[in-house]
Amino acid sequence: MAAAQRGDGASYVCLLRDVTPLLRRVAQRRWPSAGADHIEDVVQDTLLTLHAVRHTYTPGRPFEPWLMGILRHRLADSVRRSVRRSSREFAVANLEETFSDVPANMEEEWLPDRDALHKAIAGLSPAQRRAVELLKLKEMSLKEAAAETGMSITALKVATHRALKSLRAVLGRDG
Amino acid sequence: MNTEKLIEELGRNARPVRPLAMPGRRLLGWLAVSMIAVASLVMMMGLRADLATKLGEASFTVQQIASLATTIAAAIAAFAASVPGEPRWKLWLPAAPLAVWIASLGHQCWQEWVRFGVGGMEFRPDFICIPAIAMIGIVPAGAMVAMVRRGAPFHPRLTIILGTLAAGALANFGLRLFHASDAALMVLVWQFGSVALFTALAGLQGRRLLPRPI
């Protein structure tokens, strides 16, 4: 370490290679639930900090307490970060759709003329017409409709929304 | 980034650095600078006329010794807090002399209350103590901040609190050598209170005064 402080790069690299397995072992022991990638992050943070504060080591004094002091601080930072992150996140199941397939919010007392409805649907753009036919008339799920049309789920949602807006306007409903 | 690549990169950037001095030398250096500054101010203000008499009073002597001991202990703790791996017991060093100091002030208050009653205890505004403590303590405080910044303060707030306590206690020691105001409540509120105030304010600014090492 004293040689590293004098600028001896080769000695410095030897020292860092020697301490890395020790840092890994101690970090794993103090944070047993951490994965290998977290432990490696702690090790690298410690090496970077050691580099930044290498002038605080007093030659002639024990090296290991100084090194472990740095590791302790970096480990505490990592654990704190990990706890903060996990308190804001939770594991999500593999959801196929981003919203439930609930029919459009049409007021129940309003029942349009069947012919007028079909005429209005025929007047929509091809993408919007297809979206309404599959999702509202055939009551397919978004995933099924996406597979049928080759459109993305987002595109289907947008097309459906625009189609319903147009239908309301055409059939005499306020937007 | 791969750890081995990081090590090689750090090795390429291994420029020579000037190591920190041994802890004892750092303490002596800070004390030398601070004592000279405080002594100069005290001489400028002139020693109080009754100093010889006061030194014969137990409460005055105990409080002066306790504040000086707090200075030294808090300085040791502040320097220890700015070096990784220093034993944690060093951070607790100022607790004992500080407790003695507070206990002595409390004892003096109690004695005066017993002798004169609450109505007879002297208490009046003495705001001059606040800028006086600041003026006497500015050089010790500045030297302390400069020295701990050279270290690695992983707990900036704690480090600055300890450092400010050291400077404030020394300033109080100096103040009592020329400021003849010894009524118990006056000393507790205006003099010790100023030290406590500056220590608390510095603690709030800890992260700004001492940025954490990466």
Side-chain angles (χ1 to χ4, degrees), chain B residues 52-62 182:
Chain B
T53 315
K54 291 307 289 185
L55 285 171
E57 285 177 22
S59 59
F60 181 86
T61 311
V62 166
D182 301 304

Side-chain angles (χ1 to χ4, degrees), chain A residues 124 128-129 131-132 158-168:
Chain A
L124 296 171
Q128 290 176 10
R129 187 170 60 245
V132 168
V158 170
T160 309
H161 171 74
R162 286 179 180 165
L164 292 175
K165 204 172 161 185
S166 300
L167 288 173
R168 274 195 213 105

Side-chain angles (χ1 to χ4, degrees), chain B residues 37 71 84 105 139 163 199 211:
Chain B
T71 296
L105 289 169
V139 170
T199 304

Side-chain angles (χ1 to χ4, degrees), chain A residues 78 131 172:
Chain A
S78 290

